[in-house]
Amino acid sequence: MSARPTDDLFVRYMKAFEDSTKHTADCPACQGETPCTEGTPIHDRFARLQDAYNARQKQQR
């Protein structure tokens, strides 16, 4: 039985989700409308990877 190949995009997407969620939970500024300067790149990375993953999923259908 062979191992399932690792989906690098999915792994990066889930890590970015984890990082964004953890930062938001620990940062009162990011719980509002405008993220803090430290949180902005974290949340932007998550959004970019989510868009890329969703676009790829749509192409595969």
Side-chain angles (χ1 to χ4, degrees), residues 5-55:
T6 302
D7 181 348
D8 182 59
L9 177 58
F10 181 75
V11 171
R12 290 182 295 131
Y13 167 41
M14 288 294 99
K15 175 69 171 119
F17 170 74
E18 180 182 341
D19 293 346
S20 179
T21 302
K22 182 175 180 345
H23 180 82
T24 300
D26 296 339
C27 178
C30 286
Q31 293 172 13
E33 298 267 332
T34 306
C36 71
T37 55
E38 182 182 328
T40 297
I42 295 170
H43 304 309
D44 287 349
R45 181 171 192 270
F46 166 62
R48 280 192 317 275
L49 287 168
Q50 184 177 43
D51 289 346
Y53 182 77
N54 288 334

